[in-house]
Amino acid sequence: MIYESTYELRQSLKDAVVVKGDKVEVVDLASLQAQGIDLLARSATFGTDAVKAYARWMIWEIGQALGARPASIHEFYIACGRGEWQDRTVPAMNIRFTAYDTARAALRAAQKTNAGALIFEIARSEMSYCELPPAEYSAMIIAAAIKEGYFHPLFIQGDHFQVKAAKYKTDPEGAIKEVKDLIKEAIPAGFWNIDIDTSTLVTLDPPTLAEQQFHNYSRSAEITQYIRDLEPEGVTISLGGEIGEVGEKNSTPEELDAYMLGYEKALKTLGDYAGLSKISVQTGTSHGGIVLPDGSIAKVAVDFDTLQVLGQRAREHGAGGAVQHGASTLPEDFFNKFPEVQTLEIHLATGFMNLFLDHADFPAKLTEKLHRFLDVAAADERKPSMTDAQFYYKSRKKAMGPFKPEMWALTEDEKKVLYQALEDKFTFFYNKLNIVDTRDLVDRLVTVVEYHQPKPASARVAGDDLGLAD
């Protein structure tokens, strides 16, 4: 069910949630979890603009009341840099399809394993083609936590808040402004973990590494200042830098030093600001994996020795360690190696989508519709050398937004099987990456701040109760 007005939405939930001015009070948690939060999540996704805004606000405020609150992982990572914990790798999971139900599966796995050190993220590009703007994405994560009774810190991350290199060449300030505008939208929505990706600005023409990294580190410092000036009181947003584009040549310790030394100097000239908690590096992987003509994924070699060295070098610069991107399609026996070499964070994305879309219980007719859509909508991405399997594999992420209604409308039987498979996969990663039983550690190290959003003006549109019956 989707409501046509905020009044209808409010009335349907009044026995479970009472609105008092700009705050909410949960009076019947069982009722809210049984049905109410599902209605809110659906309304926050598919409602009119007014209903979406109000549903997202309610989800946020219910989360504040219950303890399902966005938080920064900065303190947790800096503690790693100080040696307070080790041998664990935090999964940063790009949830780009059916965010509510997929996050529920991830949180059920977290409940089962007592895991607390996990991140939900979405990249700048994914927000566009998956039709998941910051306010909707964070609402889905918080709603999932409410549904599953996960009343603990929620680390919501902006992945690859990337400066577009082509635009930067012709309009550098405009390219930076695009990222700043997204940051300004994301921070109030609870994105208190942000990966600043100015690695696209690295140029290999100058003779020295410092010169090659100049635009990368100087712009990264500038964006750091912008974020620090916007962050809520009591929150130190976790920030990541990146020294080389994923899928390109492997990073080196010398590149990391050049970036960090330049960044630290540039940031100091801007003021007394906290710096980075992590640094993303390249060690042999690529986003989505390398797809072969038959649709299978090519095996790659991850340079774990380099990853370990880069992580130690990052800690010497005061960060928590190094971050590995493009990993979800790696062989399963690789994942226990990441904690062993002290990898701080690992990004997992495409593997979840592959499991979901390629599962035997995913409806074949919907797969056909996706392919017909991509034949037209992504035709410019089809290279002459591509097989159908390669084309659909590389482009199908672009169907996640347009087919959002169909994904949400899967039958309960289909959902049961598909989301159980995802829950099992999340559980696998939590065990392999050694984040089981991290909830107490997170609670001890992470400061969770109460932060209230203003009630949207749409709550007072014509036809509502004007607050007389709140």
Side-chain angles (χ1 to χ4, degrees):
M1 184 174 185
I2 302 172
Y3 296 97
E4 296 183 1
S5 74
T6 57
Y7 176 76
E8 289 178 311
L9 178 59
R10 200 157 55 228
Q11 289 301 303
S12 73
L13 294 166
K14 65 181 181 181
D15 292 334
V17 180
V18 176
V19 180
K20 296 182 176 180
D22 288 341
K23 304 284 181 68
V24 302
E25 179 184 346
V26 178
V27 294
D28 188 342
L29 178 58
S31 174
L32 175 65
Q33 290 177 318
Q35 184 180 25
I37 194 62
D38 297 329
L39 296 174
L40 277 171
R42 180 171 286 276
S43 296
T45 301
F46 298 110
T48 63
D49 287 345
V51 168
K52 280 181 183 178
Y54 191 74
R56 293 170 187 176
W57 174 80
M58 283 198 73
I59 290 168
W60 178 279
E61 291 300 325
I62 292 168
Q64 292 295 304
L66 295 175
R69 298 175 178 175
S72 168
I73 205 167
H74 175 83
E75 295 166 304
F76 188 73
Y77 280 177
I78 297 303
C80 179
R82 293 194 302 261
E84 293 188 34
W85 62 269
Q86 61 182 357
D87 303 326
R88 302 180 189 274
T89 298
V90 175
M93 304 169 292
N94 293 64
I95 309 300
R96 62 169 68 138
F97 59 93
T98 58
Y100 176 56
D101 283 318
T102 303
R104 284 183 59 194
L107 290 172
R108 287 196 298 273
Q111 295 282 55
K112 184 164 57 179
T113 57
N114 196 37
L118 53 114
I119 294 172
F120 295 99
E121 69 176 6
I122 187 165
R124 177 186 178 184
S125 58
E126 290 170 324
M127 290 178 182
S128 175
Y129 59 71
C130 296
E131 299 176 14
L132 280 168
E136 180 178 329
Y137 187 79
S138 62
M140 295 303 101
I141 303 305
I142 298 167
I146 294 167
K147 179 73 174 182
E148 299 302 332
Y150 185 90
F151 304 135
H152 305 282
L154 295 170
F155 303 115
I156 302 173
Q157 181 160 282
D159 180 29
H160 286 302
F161 274 29
Q162 188 177 81
V163 177
K164 296 178 180 177
K167 184 175 178 67
Y168 190 83
K169 289 179 180 178
T170 59
D171 181 14
E173 299 311 317
I176 298 297
K177 184 178 183 299
E178 287 181 351
V179 175
K180 288 182 175 179
D181 287 346
L182 177 57
I183 289 166
K184 191 174 182 179
E185 178 185 356
I187 289 177
F191 281 66
W192 295 346
N193 309 274
I194 295 175
D195 283 354
I196 302 167
D197 186 0
T198 49
S199 66
T200 52
L201 309 183
V202 173
T203 174
L204 301 180
D205 294 331
T208 69
L209 290 174
E211 291 173 299
Q212 292 173 14
Q213 292 283 339
F214 173 75
H215 290 282
N216 185 14
Y217 70 67
S218 60
R219 291 301 194 173
S220 183
E222 176 187 341
I223 294 171
T224 296
Q225 178 191 32
Y226 184 78
I227 291 170
R228 297 288 180 229
D229 289 343
L230 287 177
E231 62 192 4
E233 184 177 353
V235 176
T236 302
I237 291 176
S238 174
L239 299 180
E242 189 159 337
I243 60 175
E245 282 198 80
V246 177
E248 302 299 328
K249 73 177 185 67
N250 285 5
S251 304
T252 67
E254 292 76 19
E255 287 173 332
L256 191 149
D257 285 341
Y259 172 81
M260 283 303 297
L261 291 171
Y263 171 85
E264 291 159 3
K265 184 177 180 180
L267 186 62
K268 190 173 182 179
T269 65
L270 297 174
D272 185 18
Y273 295 103
L276 304 176
S277 62
K278 58 185 178 177
I279 306 169
S280 293
V281 299
Q282 168 60 10
T283 60
T285 63
S286 62
H287 285 132
I290 300 170
V291 62
L292 300 174
D294 65 355
S296 62
I297 305 301
K299 291 185 178 181
V300 299
V302 177
D303 189 342
F304 285 105
D305 290 338
T306 294
L307 184 56
Q308 186 168 22
V309 169
L310 292 171
Q312 179 56 37
R313 195 65 65 94
R315 286 186 286 276
E316 291 170 5
H317 286 282
V323 179
Q324 174 70 56
H325 282 261
S328 64
T329 56
L330 293 174
E332 291 190 346
D333 58 357
F334 274 36
F335 288 96
N336 64 292
K337 288 288 294 180
F338 291 102
E340 292 175 12
V341 299
Q342 307 304 322
T343 309
L344 183 70
E345 178 181 302
I346 188 169
H347 288 220
L348 308 169
T350 305
F352 300 126
M353 186 181 70
N354 292 349
L355 174 61
F356 188 73
L357 296 179
D358 295 335
H359 197 283
D361 283 81
F362 189 84
K365 288 185 178 180
L366 183 51
T367 298
E368 293 175 10
K369 289 181 180 179
L370 287 171
H371 289 175
R372 288 200 299 271
F373 168 80
L374 293 169
D375 286 338
V376 177
D380 59 339
E381 297 182 27
R382 188 191 285 267
K383 298 177 181 178
S385 60
M386 279 184 170
T387 63
D388 283 347
Q390 287 174 311
F391 169 67
Y392 294 132
Y393 180 91
K394 296 292 287 186
S395 64
R396 62 186 179 179
K397 62 185 180 182
K398 302 292 182 65
M400 295 302 98
F403 280 82
K404 190 190 299 186
E406 289 86 346
M407 299 287 192
W408 276 66
L410 293 172
T411 68
E412 290 305 313
D413 286 343
E414 289 165 342
K415 287 183 179 181
K416 183 178 180 180
V417 176
L418 292 170
Y419 292 111
Q420 183 59 56
L422 283 168
E423 181 182 336
D424 293 343
K425 179 59 73 172
F426 288 122
T427 301
F428 164 82
F429 281 124
Y430 300 168
N431 279 284
K432 282 286 188 177
L433 299 173
N434 195 29
I435 64 156
V436 298
D437 296 323
T438 52
R439 190 170 295 166
D440 289 345
L441 184 63
V442 167
D443 288 343
R444 177 168 64 83
L445 293 173
V446 172
T447 301
V448 181
V449 174
E450 185 173 351
Y451 178 84
H452 296 282
Q453 295 181 341
K455 184 185 291 185
S458 60
R460 298 295 174 228
V461 297
D464 281 351
D465 60 15
L466 302 180
L468 299 178
D470 272 354

